[in-house]
Each structure stands twice: as C-alpha cells, then as structure tokens.
Amino acid sequence: MHSNAIPPEISGPSGGIPEATVARLPVYLRALYGLAERGISTVASEELAAAAGVNSAKLRKDLSHLGSYGIRGVGYDVDYLVYQVSRTLGLTQDWPVVIVGAGNLGRALANYGGFVSRGFTISAMLDSDPAIVGSRIARLTVRHVDELEAVVARHKVAIGVIAAPASSAQAVCDRLVAAGVTSILNFAPVVLNVPEGVDVRKVDLSIELQILAFHAQRRSAARPEADPAHGHHRGAVNGTPSRPPVTSEFAAQA
Amino acid sequence: MHSNAIPPEISGPSGGIPEATVARLPVYLRALYGLAERGISTVASEELAAAAGVNSAKLRKDLSHLGSYGIRGVGYDVDYLVYQVSRTLGLTQDWPVVIVGAGNLGRALANYGGFVSRGFTISAMLDSDPAIVGSRIARLTVRHVDELEAVVARHKVAIGVIAAPASSAQAVCDRLVAAGVTSILNFAPVVLNVPEGVDVRKVDLSIELQILAFHAQRRSAARPEADPAHGHHRGAVNGTPSRPPVTSEFAAQA
DNA sequence: CGCTGTGAATTCATTCACAGCA
DNA sequence: TGCTGTGAATGAATTCACAGCG
C-alpha cells in the first residue's frame, strides 16, 4: 500500500498514519463539529478543507489514510466522519489527565473547560506551593505534588501536563515517567529528557514569538534600508559582538 | 509548514532559510544561553545538539544556513553564536506586542515576564469585559479593546497575541490586521482567516492533547486485548455510528 | 456529472559520510 | 587530529491531475 512497512510500526489496520496527517486530524474534527452544529450533514472535501484551512487534495489524502469513508460525487457524511476521526484519534475513550503546576498557566488550562472537552478529564491539579495547595480551581482542589504517584495510579493517568516553572520541569517529568505516564505535554521552556517510549510534545510561547519575529523582520527587510552590520566570517565583525549580557532569562515561572 | 503562506521569499543573503530550520533556531538559542550561564564559551555541534535535543548533523546544517560561524576542529564560540542566531531571528531589535484578552490565559502570558524575555515588550493588554478593564496585570493596566487601533499605531505594534474566546477571535484578528499587524499568535481554537502577507501561528492545547491521545492509543493497542469495535468500511459498523451528540464544545472561554 | 481516492511528480527535510580547514 | 560544512542519498510531505465510482 502506501510508503514502506518496516518502521517500528506494525503497519496494522488503521496503522501507519503519517505524523503530519495525525497533526491535522484534530483540526478537521473541529471543523466537522462546526459544520454539524450548523446542521450540515454532508460536506465535500473542498468545503471541509476551506473550513480547516488546508487545500482539498491534502484533506482527501489525509482522510484516505483512515479508510474510504467518502461518497463519490457527494462528499462525506459529517456525523460519520466525526465518529471515524474521533475513533482514529482515540477519543472514543476517556483520557485522564493530570496537570502539574497550578500557577497562572495551570489555572488557565484548567479553566478551559470546553476546550479540553470531549475525551479528556482532569484527574487532578498538583502544585508544590503550600499557599496554593488546597485552593479550588475549576471544581478541583489543588493537591500537593507529592501525591503525584498516588493520583496517577488511582486514576490510571496516561497523560501529564507540565505547567510548572522551567526549573522544576525536568524533575516533574521524571516523576511522571516513573509513575507510568507515557504522554507528556510540556509548557515549560526546557528540552525534556525522557526514556524511549515516552511521547513529549511542547507548547512554547517564546519559540512561536521568535518565529514570528523572524518573518516580520524578513518582511520589513523588503525596504532597502537594510541592516548595517553584515560581516560574514569571524573577525570581520566590528569588534566584539558582545551583544548578549547573557543573564538568566528564559526561565519562566508560570 | 504552518497553515499560512510563507512569504514568497527572495533567496537573499541571509535569506532562504528553510522553515524547519527557523523553527529550531529558538531552541538552539535557549540551549546556548544555558551553556553561557554555565560559563562555557565554546561548544561542539555534538554537545549543542544534545542540549537542544536534535542530532548533530541537523544542527550543523541548520547553522550553515546562517553563515560559516564555526571553527573546524574546535566548535562554535557560544557568545558569538548567540549573537548570530539572535540577529537572524530579528531579536536584536525590540518587538512591541499587544495581547488581546486578559482572562486566565492572557494573564498567564503577561506574567511570563522572563519567558517572553529579550526581544519582546508587551505594549498593552486589552479586554472587552468592563470588569477586567482597568485592572493591573504585570505592571500594565488592562485597557479596553476599543483602544486597539490607537495602541497599535502608537507603539508600532507588529505582533498581536490573541488570548480571547474562540467566539471573538476572528473579529479581534480582523481588527489587528486592519490596524496593520502582520504577525499573529493565536491561542483561540479556531482557524483564522487572514489576507495574504499576514503570518499566523497557533498554539492549541486541545490539538496537542489529541495528538498525544492518538499515540497513547497506538501504544496501548500493542497489547492483544485490542479494542472491541473495529468495523471497517461503512455499513459494517454496528448500527449507526451515532457516536457524537454533536453539541457545541470546542469553544473556549480563555 | 461531480465527487473521491490515489498513483506520479514535485518539493521539502533529514541523514549520511567525508573532504578539507584550523 | 578533530571538528565543521556540505554534496549526495534517502525519506517524508505536498501537490498535481485524473481514473473511476456513486
């Protein structure tokens, strides 16, 4: 069939879906919910693609990896596709999630009630600050981070969200992994070290802003008043670069 | 790689850096700051790559797009590389940022003082809720969103952060674009429509969780006690899929 | 006829492996 | 000698364009 079959993967039934496709399925799912709400029961790839912000060929190829769920000459049945995409993503079961860090960010995440939505339940919020432990956030009482192992075991938590300061993120990560959590969503601005088999995704404001800055700079460089310094190989640069005071920074305290 | 178009590109001097490389430069920069703090002044691609969580060939190729800044047989000068990467990303100038939405999320972002860090300054926080307007967050007084245009013009804001509810995100986006903002970081779970030339990046908790769920499901499917339902092509599914009550959901209120 | 599903072509990204410089 | 920088090889993702089904 498609691509090769040798990767760690067992090119199983619904197996072997390309990463890029997996990353877009949630977007399609959201678009489908939007259509369903508006009472639309059938949709062509062109429209769905527009709603999801991709081109239609890509959408069709993506969906083809899940199976042949469209109707030629017609389009896709919205409810049915919602179901198939949900099932593929593993959203037909509930995933207990633990959030570590109940600072500003942790609170924001917990309050995303409708956001985390279908498929995910916050089992507990944990923090190490005694001033925060015991407070209530989004129907939950914040518990001490020492209860992490107990919470994970009790609720069979498979997904951990790290909303802790950069300085403790790795330690939190280690505890989550040791407790058996194999999926981690990291909001702290650090590269986490994890053993094989643990899946880490990161969300990083600072990186996103820097990428935007790059493109913004690029755009404004269209103007001919270009940058003055442009020495290429070393030494050519006027004196020492000496740009960065190189202080700490890049250390968040959520 | 992201939803929106990458500027047509003039393969200029420091121009034509691949998107994938641009996305990693901030990670390298952070790793470099970490090394500098620890007093390390020179680093080989192997070590820097390890600190950044990539392999060394990729790191070298990435850096080669900025110029020839290494020393064969030795490695890279940390301070010098910090400067070159910063300059490439456009961080040697300051970028005024406006945050729209001062709910939980907006507050969390504003309080990431050390996070947003070098290169970015929050010009203003805006909200439409009269109960929030006037309150102080991270040294700033929240202003009414009607002042958006004035703030953008006054501070020459080029980057806007949308931390507003999904329901108003598009409207906020339109106003930002009309006011002249061409770089947008969107935290609301919606696909934003923008004209050509506007760069949008998104940060989406729900999508990240769903991607994690996919892989988690995949892993647990390794066990032979597989999932019960596994009907393939249509009709084969037991009765109606009828899985989703298809209510609203997926609508955040930051 | 109008749409999906998909081979084939293309573009983009990663990795290998080594020539060549400090 | 030990590293960087980079062509060449491989692999992944996107896009094209159309055969073929409902």
Side-chain angles (χ1 to χ4, degrees), chain A residues 112-180:
Chain A
Y112 261 144
F115 192 166
V116 168
S117 82
R118 214 167 294 289
F120 303 91
T121 304
I122 303 178
S123 293
M125 296 207 55
L126 308 175
D127 204 293
S128 61
D129 183 345
I132 292 179
V133 171
S135 64
R136 295 185 70 81
I137 297 172
R139 288 201 195 84
L140 288 166
T141 301
V142 178
R143 300 166 69 176
H144 193 275
V145 73
D146 282 349
E147 298 188 57
L148 188 152
E149 290 75 12
V151 166
V152 169
R154 173 79 120 65
H155 294 89
K156 300 205 191 335
V157 170
I159 301 179
V161 175
I162 300 180
S167 54
S168 57
Q170 182 64 59
V172 167
C173 175
D174 292 344
R175 285 184 72 169
L176 285 169
V177 170

Side-chain angles (χ1 to χ4, degrees), chain A residues 181-196:
Chain A
V181 172
T182 52
S183 300
I184 292 176
L185 181 51
N186 177 36
F187 283 84
V190 288
V191 176
L192 293 178
N193 280 305
V194 293
E196 285 247 340

